[in-house]
Amino acid sequence: MENPAGFWNRVGARFVDGFILAGFFGVITGEFIVQESFTVVDVLSIFYALLLPPVWYGYTLGRRALGNRIVQTDGSDVTFIHIVLRELVGGLVYFVTFGVALIVSAFMVGLREDKRGIHDFIGGTYVTKDAPNDRERSELDELNA
């Protein structure tokens, strides 16, 4: 696992994604006010989080803007299954533990050398600052060395 993205970089990407989702989907649906019920924006946000990374080399718009992406532990691109495990099952663990696991996970991302949280272990992923081409270039350099 090379060049892992740190805590603040990852948090920033989530915030950027949140602003993008609230603004873009809010304009489309006209729902700008936070409601107590599950809305169309919530459904669109789930699809965004689950479908974009496997299609776009582990990026979401926020991750792309801050220069980090989700990859498998072997460095290859994530699949839909990895993202479902990471986001949905990981989120369920955080919910069931009343957020305690989320706090533990935040410390893990901040303190561990590989910067992996609980959701990363569940999904078999990590977050790297390497672009897809950077990783391929470094693998070629290792082979040629």
Side-chain angles (χ1 to χ4, degrees):
M1 289 178 258
E2 299 177 16
N3 205 11
F7 177 80
W8 291 113
N9 182 278
R10 292 169 68 155
V11 168
R14 292 277 187 168
F15 273 111
V16 171
D17 279 332
F19 286 124
I20 290 169
L21 290 171
F24 180 72
F25 292 147
V27 168
I28 289 174
T29 63
E31 296 176 6
F32 289 102
I33 300 171
V34 176
Q35 300 177 6
E36 292 180 21
S37 62
F38 206 66
T39 65
V40 173
V41 173
D42 296 324
V43 173
L44 293 174
S45 298
I46 290 169
F47 281 117
Y48 170 87
L50 294 179
L51 297 177
L52 194 56
V55 172
W56 197 23
Y57 306 105
Y59 289 116
T60 61
L61 294 173
R63 288 188 184 285
R64 180 73 177 161
L66 272 81
N68 72 55
R69 67 191 196 99
I70 305 165
V71 294
Q72 293 183 51
T73 53
D74 65 1
S76 61
D77 293 332
V78 290
T79 65
F80 179 70
I81 298 299
H82 290 98
I83 295 299
V84 166
L85 289 171
R86 175 188 162 86
E87 300 296 333
L88 293 183
V89 177
L92 182 62
V93 168
Y94 296 149
F95 177 77
V96 168
T97 62
F98 301 103
V100 173
L102 179 62
I103 294 167
V104 170
S105 191
F107 277 99
M108 290 171 67
V109 172
L111 299 174
R112 287 177 56 91
E113 187 175 324
D114 63 3
K115 307 295 184 195
R116 293 177 73 201
I118 293 170
H119 55 285
D120 290 310
F121 282 97
I122 291 170
T125 61
Y126 77 100
V127 179
T128 183
K129 292 186 279 184
D130 288 341
N133 292 338
D134 291 345
R135 186 187 75 240
E136 292 167 7
R137 236 181 278 127
S138 69
E139 289 174 359
L140 287 175
D141 291 343
E142 288 176 13
L143 290 173
N144 292 330

